[in-house]
Amino acid sequence: MGEISIPQLDYEFGLGSLGSSLWWWAYGLFVLIGIVFIMAIIYHWLRYETNTGFSSIVIGVNALVIALLLGGAAINLQSFLTIT
Amino acid sequence: MKLESGEEIKKIIRKHPFYIILEVFGLIILAILPALLPHAIGYINTLIAGIASSVRFDLVAFIPLQLQAFLYNLWLLTLWLIFVYRFTDYYLDKWVLTNRRIIDVEQRGFFIREVSSVRYPMIQDVTISVSGLFPTLLNFGTIQVQTAGVEQEFLLTIAPDPLINKEFIINLKRDHVA
């Protein structure tokens, strides 16, 4: 019996400038969703919640977390595209 | 939600935190799962090493670390957005008890919001039900307000302290009528 082997998975994730653009477009989609979410949260919490102190905390924390995660994603994507 | 002149908010009832804590727990598990993937692959490699030594899964060779980190960032962002969406739904969904009426605010996501109210003279009966292990242990259940109006009943599920809240509504009705 011959040796069992799996096909070599030879993916090229960077794919040059086209691939780079596609990654940034994918990232841009998340940025867009993040911005829409921040706006929706601001709208709902300022309009419907009477406790403005708590609303401010929710709006601030939400914007901060989204900014941190998107910032981290941008740094990691840039780093990935630099090495490919 | 606008209050009438002379109307005062006496109490706001939201669903029991158990509702949102359960969802947070699920989201935390989903957040941890991708971080466990390298360990799972290492375990699979150990298992298959005895069967086929030439076969070995290498996650880093397949997806570079930087790309993994990028995808994990987006995964966490997705989970965070789900959490904020659910929390908004939880927090803005409430019963407002005033000195004149009960206002039922039904928030469903970002785009559906229904506000209805019933005045105390219209209330015919208030019933509660607590069924199940967690509702009994954590003291939450369903409060049902039956009315004589077009909207026959008001229902708040996963309501905290059902008995205390029922008494509160009955007392408000009594005070209002008096």
Side-chain angles (χ1 to χ4, degrees):
Chain A
M1 241 176 110
E3 187 181 86
I4 300 164
S5 64
I6 56 169
Q8 180 65 37
L9 297 170
D10 190 15
Y11 280 81
E12 181 61 60
F13 280 100
L15 298 172
S17 62
L18 175 68
S20 175
S21 299
L22 286 175
W23 281 115
W24 282 115
W25 273 105
Y27 172 74
L29 182 68
F30 275 85
V31 172
L32 193 67
I33 293 168
I35 290 169
V36 169
F37 241 84
I38 289 171
M39 288 166 70
I41 290 297
I42 290 172
Y43 175 81
H44 276 80
W45 284 84
L46 284 186
R47 183 163 181 191
Y48 298 130
E49 178 52 37
T50 47
N51 185 346
T52 49
F54 188 62
S55 292
S56 307
I57 292 170
V58 171
I59 290 166
V61 169
N62 178 53
L64 185 70
V65 171
I66 290 176
L68 283 174
L69 288 172
L70 283 174
I75 291 166
N76 287 317
L77 180 59
Q78 182 60 50
S79 164
F80 163 64
L81 293 173
T82 308
I83 60 156
T84 53
Chain B
M1 186 185 71
K2 281 183 182 172
L3 296 180
E4 299 161 355
S5 65
E7 192 175 19
E8 290 170 24
I9 293 176
K10 295 290 181 182
K11 192 174 188 178
I12 293 175
I13 307 173
R14 291 190 174 84
K15 289 182 175 177
H16 193 279
F18 176 74
Y19 171 77
I20 196 76
I21 289 169
L22 207 64
E23 293 197 0
V24 168
F25 187 69
L27 290 173
I28 287 171
I29 289 173
L30 286 174
I32 292 170
L33 275 182
L36 297 177
L37 196 61
H39 300 283
I41 288 173
Y43 183 67
I44 290 168
N45 281 335
T46 318
L47 281 180
I48 62 173
I51 306 164
S53 55
S54 62
V55 178
R56 194 170 191 283
F57 298 107
D58 189 354
L59 188 65
V60 177
F62 186 59
I63 306 173
L65 271 176
Q66 292 84 352
L67 184 58
Q68 284 182 36
F70 169 67
L71 294 174
Y72 191 56
N73 266 128
L74 295 187
W75 175 242
L76 289 181
L77 178 66
T78 306
L79 295 178
W80 173 259
L81 296 182
I82 291 170
F83 166 69
V84 172
Y85 181 80
R86 300 298 299 152
F87 183 71
T88 301
D89 190 317
Y90 159 77
Y91 200 84
L92 298 183
D93 195 359
K94 59 194 170 187
W95 272 15
V96 182
L97 310 182
T98 72
N99 54 343
R100 292 183 184 171
R101 57 186 171 147
I102 299 174
I103 304 167
D104 177 16
V105 182
E106 185 79 27
Q107 182 79 35
R108 293 189 192 129
F110 285 151
F111 303 108
I112 300 173
R113 185 177 169 87
E114 291 167 5
V115 182
S116 47
S117 65
V118 59
R119 292 181 182 279
Y120 293 119
M122 299 292 278
I123 293 174
Q124 289 184 324
D125 193 19
V126 183
T127 55
I128 58 162
S129 74
V130 178
S131 58
L133 177 68
F134 286 113
T136 307
L137 289 175
L138 300 172
N139 192 24
F140 64 86
T142 302
I143 305 174
Q144 189 178 0
V145 174
Q146 284 165 344
T147 72
V150 179
E151 195 151 356
Q152 291 289 311
E153 69 175 25
F154 275 51
L155 205 70
L156 184 67
T157 54
I158 324 176
D161 305 318
L163 193 60
I164 293 171
N165 283 321
K166 178 192 169 178
E167 294 297 324
F168 197 85
I169 291 168
I170 289 169
N171 286 339
L172 282 175
K173 178 180 159 66
R174 192 184 300 130
D175 293 347
H176 182 76
V177 173

